[in-house]
Amino acid sequence: MRKKKLIAMLLAGGQGSRLGVLTNRMAKPAVPFGGKYRIIDFPLSNCVNSAIDTVGVLTQYEPLELNAYIGTGQAWDLDRNSGGVYVLPPYVKGSAGEWYSGTANAIYQNMSFIDRFNPDHVLILSGDHIYKMDYSDMLKQHIANGADATIAVLKVPMEEASRFGIMNTDGTGRIIDFEEKPKQPRSNKASMGIYIFKWEKLREYLILDENDEASQNDFGKNVIPLMLNNGCSMFAYSFSGYWKDVGTIQSLWEANMDLIREPPELDLYDKEWRIYSKSAIMPPHYVSADARVESSIVTEGSTVCGTVRHSVLFSGTQIGTGAVVEDSVIMPNARIADGAVVKKAIVGEGAVIGRGALVGCEPNESDPEYDTNLTGDITLIADMAKIEENRRVPRGMIVARNGAKTL
């Protein structure tokens, strides 16, 4: 097989437990986003736009939806004779399978796949980030520095730096120290979880890490600190565009809302950097004469007969007469019946909000106690859940698929 300069390995096996009921039946990268997309569309589109034609997608947790969505990779122009997109589940050897035990172990288990292409460099990506990035610029800097590894970093507010893995660099951008969630950070350069390695060097350290019984087999916790301690040449690549880790209910909601700000923080209509999607072909959306839509994304196949403000509607959604949807994300084929009110909520795929129901309303004394640690003030309705007519779902509550409230 022809030698490759660079291939990408996309880590897409995360459970996404902080997204609650949204990931009960699918991996986090398969979660819908922005009216037409799924989270994995962003790193895959970035690869294609950066002229990377070989991508391994490492799956594990609830992979069916993700595998079916990726298919042959045609939607992203990754159905190639030489290269393309490959779905890589945990490796099976002998009579038993072996789950990926960490990000580094996931790559370790697929070393034979990488060796097939004999690349000079390997790009490691996460499948749960929303951003647009030209990886070819990062590769150019990586090669110019003669680096063993290059780590993409984003400057964050200093008061938030303790939440991230922080890179401390010298005047040339060389990484001299890495701190995982430091209590007193000395820098605000946060790791984005995007790495380029010389394949020969990474291969060596993956084997070392695998042979260390005390290791958690994680890039940030184990492989990168070991490489630094052993004097490997490692540099930071500064990124200044939009980037969001959508691993929580709050961040997923915020990222959808960022699309409908004026101007939007992330432009999905940029013809020079298109985000590709395997969105099903749907009929045009319909807005009735009595409907009112303000500052919202309304995707094809949607029917709006009520009022929608500052919200994101995915394909096939139905908003009934007199219904009101505000500050919300309504995922594919969900139905908001006549007179229902939905405020600051995420409503899962195929969910039904009954006539006159109130979702995201103010709690009152008669409501049962429930935990909002996962959701804050965002109300979360699972996919295929049904809220009966005139029912109340107070702010921050989670409703599971069977209609049971998560208390």
Side-chain angles (χ1 to χ4, degrees), residues 134-163:
D134 190 343
Y135 303 132
S136 65
D137 288 342
M138 183 176 174
L139 178 62
K140 288 175 186 176
Q141 178 185 300
H142 174 76
I143 294 173
N145 287 331
D148 294 319
T150 299
I151 300 173
V153 299
L154 180 73
K155 288 186 176 181
V156 298
M158 203 66 185
E159 61 271 18
E160 297 180 14
S162 59
R163 296 170 41 217

Side-chain angles (χ1 to χ4, degrees), residues 189-208:
K189 295 179 179 178
S191 171
M192 299 170 64
I194 300 169
Y195 318 116
I196 295 179
F197 294 94
K198 285 182 180 176
W199 172 230
E200 182 179 351
K201 184 65 67 173
L202 176 58
R203 200 179 198 284
E204 172 189 345
Y205 275 86
L206 288 175
I207 294 171
L208 286 173

Side-chain angles (χ1 to χ4, degrees), residues 115-193:
D115 284 336
R116 288 180 58 195
F117 300 97
N118 190 24
D120 295 322
H121 311 279
V122 174
L123 170 67
I124 309 295
L125 302 170
S126 295
D128 52 3
H129 299 156
I130 302 296
Y131 66 111
K132 297 192 290 188
M133 181 177 179
D134 190 343
Y135 303 132
S136 65
D137 288 342
M138 183 176 174
L139 178 62
K140 288 175 186 176
Q141 178 185 300
H142 174 76
I143 294 173
N145 287 331
D148 294 319
T150 299
I151 300 173
V153 299
L154 180 73
K155 288 186 176 181
V156 298
M158 203 66 185
E159 61 271 18
E160 297 180 14
S162 59
R163 296 170 41 217
F164 298 90
I166 296 297
M167 303 292 158
N168 299 308
T169 61
D170 64 16
T172 68
R174 182 184 294 271
I175 299 171
I176 56 176
D177 186 34
F178 171 73
E179 300 174 285
E180 181 66 24
K181 298 182 179 179
K183 292 183 179 180
Q184 295 182 320
R186 293 180 285 121
S187 164
N188 64 342
K189 295 179 179 178
S191 171
M192 299 170 64

Side-chain angles (χ1 to χ4, degrees), residues 92-374:
V92 177
K93 54 186 178 182
S95 60
E98 182 179 333
W99 290 110
Y100 296 144
S101 60
T103 53
N105 174 260
I107 303 300
Y108 172 84
Q109 287 199 38
N110 287 283
M111 290 197 305
S112 59
F113 168 80
I114 299 173
D115 284 336
R116 288 180 58 195
F117 300 97
N118 190 24
D120 295 322
H121 311 279
V122 174
L123 170 67
I124 309 295
L125 302 170
S126 295
D128 52 3
H129 299 156
I130 302 296
Y131 66 111
K132 297 192 290 188
M133 181 177 179
D134 190 343
Y135 303 132
S136 65
D137 288 342
M138 183 176 174
L139 178 62
K140 288 175 186 176
Q141 178 185 300
H142 174 76
I143 294 173
N145 287 331
D148 294 319
T150 299
I151 300 173
V153 299
L154 180 73
K155 288 186 176 181
V156 298
M158 203 66 185
E159 61 271 18
E160 297 180 14
S162 59
R163 296 170 41 217
F164 298 90
I166 296 297
M167 303 292 158
N168 299 308
T169 61
D170 64 16
T172 68
R174 182 184 294 271
I175 299 171
I176 56 176
D177 186 34
F178 171 73
E179 300 174 285
E180 181 66 24
K181 298 182 179 179
K183 292 183 179 180
Q184 295 182 320
R186 293 180 285 121
S187 164
N188 64 342
K189 295 179 179 178
S191 171
M192 299 170 64
I194 300 169
Y195 318 116
I196 295 179
F197 294 94
K198 285 182 180 176
W199 172 230
E200 182 179 351
K201 184 65 67 173
L202 176 58
R203 200 179 198 284
E204 172 189 345
Y205 275 86
L206 288 175
I207 294 171
L208 286 173
D209 179 70
E210 191 66 22
N211 290 331
D212 180 1
E213 294 183 358
S215 176
Q216 295 175 266
N217 305 129
D218 184 84
F219 276 106
K221 295 176 182 177
N222 306 110
V223 174
I224 290 171
L226 181 61
M227 292 181 71
L228 272 175
N229 290 339
N230 288 351
C232 291
S233 175
M234 307 180 76
F235 284 81
Y237 173 79
S238 295
F239 177 74
S240 58
Y242 181 92
W243 178 86
K244 196 100 170 181
D245 181 339
V246 287
T248 67
I249 296 299
Q250 182 72 30
S251 61
L252 179 63
W253 179 84
E254 287 176 354
N256 276 277
M257 295 300 105
D258 286 343
L259 302 177
I260 47 182
R261 300 188 193 282
E262 296 181 3
E265 294 194 32
L266 179 66
D267 183 4
L268 295 180
Y269 305 95
D270 181 1
K271 295 180 180 180
E272 300 300 318
W273 199 271
R274 183 179 167 188
I275 302 300
Y276 299 90
S277 170
K278 197 180 177 181
S279 176
I281 298 174
M282 299 287 288
H285 64 265
Y286 171 76
V287 178
S288 74
D290 297 326
R292 183 174 181 179
V293 179
E294 300 174 359
S295 302
S296 297
I297 290 174
V298 180
T299 310
E300 62 264 33
S302 298
T303 300
V304 180
C305 298
T307 298
V308 178
R309 299 188 186 97
H310 201 255
S311 295
V312 175
L313 306 189
F314 282 76
S315 59
T317 56
Q318 299 178 42
I319 311 300
T321 301
V324 176
V325 176
E326 293 182 347
D327 298 320
S328 294
V329 179
I330 312 299
M331 290 188 171
N333 302 308
R335 181 162 62 87
I336 315 300
D338 297 351
V341 176
V342 178
K343 294 187 176 182
K344 201 170 186 180
I346 297 177
V347 178
E349 293 190 59
V352 176
I353 310 301
R355 183 189 299 266
L358 302 178
V359 174
C361 57
E362 291 292 326
N364 60 36
E365 293 181 357
S366 64
D367 292 327
E369 293 185 1
Y370 57 95
D371 187 359
T372 61
N373 286 330
L374 190 69

